[in-house]
Amino acid sequence: MLLTGPAGLTALNTAYDDGRALPGFVAYNLETVQGIVAAAEAAPAHPVLIQAGAGPFRHAGRDPLMRLALDAARSSPARLGVHLDHGRDLDEITACLEAGYTSVMIDGSHLPFADNISLTREAVRRARDHGAWVEAELGALAGDEDVSTNATAVGAPMTDPAQAAEFVAETGVDALAVAVGNVHGFTAHPVRLDLTRLSAIREAVPVPLVLHGASGLAEDQLLGALKRGVAKINVNAELRRACLRAVQDELPTALPGSDVVSVWRAGRDAVTEAASRIITQLN
Ligand code: 13P
């Protein structure tokens, strides 16, 4: 079931009020969409976001992947949102909203503050016409969204609490992605979040916070974030790694008979297993 209209934002705000978080799982193709949906169906009490966004569009094509994610959500009994992750382009935002996305991220984090405000404000205006909710980002995350690069947060601009308050008031966004030491992808050294800064942002900002780059984050860090207003957690590398390891394990058996279906099935089941583990952690 697709969480359209107010149901999508209600799911986010309810998680926020309860100290839980919605997982935003990145999907690239049929198998990752199916793997995520199967995990959501195994935990029917907990809404899940399928994130089919800019990076995956480059692989699968925007229209096919949008349709795939939306069809899968609509035909499942699970409570699912379909979310545009890291949208930087207003035309792309509009295309996703018109297709039926329940939420979009407008990522103006690379822009000067005033330009980020203008871009985000326009995305919010467009989303309102479609009953979708909007996530924006302030501060910047190190690392690549689709490939782990052992990034470090050192030198990446963190979110300033006072600026965050101004940004949310000026733009009317429904959720704010923050930079508090988090990075995209796996890292050689464990990531420590700046939980003091996160508490200050929570105090300053009246909307749920979003944590990108949750793969490989220690449980105490994750739970510390949930306690401080993070109500959406983005996970990608963790699912990619689980999928690839399962494919690697399956290949020796599959290769002699060119059994491609067994490889895809192994990848899909591994995505389900990893996503299920994370859904449990976040709730
Ligand atoms: P990870 O790859 O570190 O899980 O980050 C995912 C993410 O933030 C997607 O926007």
Side-chain angles (χ1 to χ4, degrees):
M1 154 204 334
L2 187 62
L3 293 171
T4 52
L9 187 57
T10 301
L12 176 72
N13 287 332
T14 305
Y16 179 67
D17 291 342
D18 294 351
R20 293 181 290 108
L22 306 186
F25 293 126
V26 177
Y28 288 87
N29 61 4
L30 175 69
E31 284 71 26
T32 43
V33 168
Q34 289 179 330
I36 293 164
V37 170
E41 288 177 359
H46 303 305
V48 167
L49 301 174
I50 304 171
Q51 302 203 148
F57 288 161
R58 282 194 289 277
H59 159 70
R62 186 171 76 199
D63 286 352
L65 189 59
M66 283 194 317
R67 276 200 296 272
L68 179 61
L70 286 162
D71 282 354
R74 287 189 182 112
S75 55
S76 166
R79 299 166 66 206
L80 290 153
V82 177
H83 177 86
L84 171 66
D85 192 25
H86 290 289
R88 289 193 165 181
D89 176 70
L90 287 169
D91 289 342
E92 185 162 82
I93 298 260
T94 299
C96 291
L97 292 169
E98 285 177 350
Y101 272 42
T102 52
S103 53
V104 291
M105 175 191 190
I106 178 72
D107 182 358
S109 59
H110 54 294
L111 299 173
F113 185 60
D115 295 346
N116 191 358
I117 288 182
S118 313
L119 181 72
T120 301
R121 210 185 258 155
E122 177 58 18
V124 170
R125 193 188 66 72
R126 294 184 188 201
R128 292 291 176 261
D129 291 342
H130 291 85
W133 60 269
V134 179
E135 168 188 340
E137 180 169 313
L138 199 58
L141 247 65
D144 187 284
E145 286 140 30
D146 300 298
V147 181
S148 275
T149 56
N150 189 20
T152 161
V154 176
M158 291 207 193
T159 309
D160 175 74
Q163 230 184 22
E166 187 185 341
F167 184 82
V168 170
E170 289 287 323
T171 58
V173 279
D174 303 293
L176 184 70
V178 293
V180 289
N182 41 326
V183 299
H184 282 120
F186 291 113
T187 55
H189 300 291
V191 167
R192 306 293 302 171
L193 300 176
D194 185 342
L195 293 176
T196 309
R197 180 180 293 269
L198 191 56
S199 296
I201 298 169
R202 195 227 180 125
E203 287 298 308
V205 164
V207 296
L209 305 178
V210 180
L211 190 78
H212 284 233
S215 292
L217 206 57
E219 189 158 76
D220 67 315
Q221 299 294 292
L222 204 55
L223 298 181
L226 297 194
K227 280 197 195 121
R228 292 167 177 82
V230 168
K232 174 175 178 278
I233 299 255
N234 282 13
V235 183
N236 184 355
E238 198 98 27
L239 303 193
R240 296 198 312 264
R241 183 169 70 179
C243 179
L244 287 177
R245 283 184 173 164
V247 164
Q248 185 179 35
D249 288 349
E250 183 62 23
L251 270 176
T253 316
L255 273 174
S258 301
D259 184 358
V260 77
V261 170
S262 77
V263 172
W264 289 335
R265 192 185 299 126
R268 180 178 66 192
D269 291 350
V271 168
T272 300
E273 214 177 292
S276 292
R277 199 182 55 248
I278 292 158
I279 293 170
T280 304
Q281 258 186 336
L282 299 188
N283 290 286

